[in-house]
Amino acid sequence: MAGCAMLLLCGTPVLRAAVTRSVTIGDLFTQADQVALVRIVAGDTEHYGTVVYKAVVEVPYKGSKATEVVYFGPYAGLGVGAEYVVFLQAGAGVKVQTTGGLAFGDVAELGKIMSAGYAALPVGYECVFDESSLVRRCDDSVELNPEQIVLPKTMRTYPRHEAGSVSSYKIWVRRSDFLPRLQMLSEREANRGGSVGR
């Protein structure tokens, strides 16, 4: 059993171990080259020197277009078929290192997930909303780490109880509250003459 624990510990990704500073959602949006709601359609750890995800843009907020295919990495653990809001910095491409199999081919541009990987926010359906109404307890959600990404105080996060040491790294916000905030940031940047689309 000790060998199993050691194996699990050794297999844990160390790329997230770096300490990152907290950043507001507005600053994160401004610093990103691409911001989008994406669905991951494939991932490859076999043919490249890094993790490469292939995703389709469902809702572009900055630096991409709807239905565009984007590639990003390098952090393992994201789910194929799952939706994420991603904040990406432009990066150099990557070449296939291992032949055979079904690689994506040479990737011209590989975006890097910002904030040491914490800026890939899972989008899903959760029952964490501590509302009095049973109907409002489960809803479409966006998950984030409040130690890394700071939301405006006006945006309600859940659960609302005091977070303990085990749960302080994960909170949820309703998707219907979060995505309009990104749209507002996108429109604000477009009005200032920033680059929102490609």
Side-chain angles (χ1 to χ4, degrees), residues 10 25 44 89 180 191 196:
C10 293
I25 194 73
D44 193 326
Q89 288 180 324
N191 290 336
V196 268

Side-chain angles (χ1 to χ4, degrees), residues 27-196:
D27 287 345
L28 188 63
F29 191 96
T30 300
Q31 294 165 15
D33 295 308
Q34 286 184 303
V35 180
L37 172 64
V38 302
R39 181 173 304 276
I40 295 178
V41 295
D44 193 326
T45 59
E46 180 182 9
H47 298 97
Y48 304 92
T50 186
V51 176
V52 177
Y53 295 102
K54 177 182 180 180
V56 175
V57 174
E58 293 185 338
V59 182
Y61 296 102
K62 181 179 181 181
S64 59
K65 294 181 181 175
T67 72
E68 179 180 359
V69 172
V70 294
Y71 296 90
F72 57 87
Y75 301 97
L78 303 185
V80 173
E83 286 183 308
Y84 293 85
V85 172
V86 292
F87 296 80
L88 305 174
Q89 288 180 324
V94 290
K95 294 190 178 297
V96 175
Q97 293 184 352
T98 306
T99 58
L102 299 173
F104 304 135
D106 291 343
V107 175
E109 184 178 317
L110 183 68
K112 180 181 178 188
I113 303 169
M114 297 175 67
S115 293
Y118 290 104
L121 312 179
V123 177
Y125 186 81
E126 299 291 338
C127 294
V128 295
F129 303 100
D130 44 358
E131 299 275 353
S132 57
S133 165
L134 283 175
V135 176
R136 297 276 295 157
R137 288 192 185 156
C138 299
D139 202 353
D140 293 321
S141 64
V142 177
E143 176 189 320
L144 60 103
N145 180 327
E147 298 298 317
Q148 303 299 323
I149 300 173
V150 180
L151 296 176
K153 295 208 181 291
T154 56
M155 186 172 285
R156 185 173 285 177
T157 60
Y158 300 86
R160 287 186 280 182
H161 62 75
E162 203 56 41
S165 61
V166 175
S167 63
S168 64
Y169 66 93
K170 191 184 286 190
I171 60 170
W172 289 264
V173 62
R174 291 185 193 276
R175 177 180 170 146
S176 58
D177 292 338
F178 189 79
L179 296 186
R181 172 70 59 161
L182 293 182
Q183 186 60 44
M184 181 200 72
L185 291 169
S186 177
E187 291 167 3
R188 183 181 298 165
E189 188 153 314
N191 290 336
R192 282 192 300 224
S195 170
V196 268

Side-chain angles (χ1 to χ4, degrees), residues 1-17 76:
M1 193 63 144
C4 179
M6 183 58 111
L7 178 62
L8 291 174
L9 180 62
C10 293
T12 303
V14 293
L15 292 173
R16 290 185 190 227

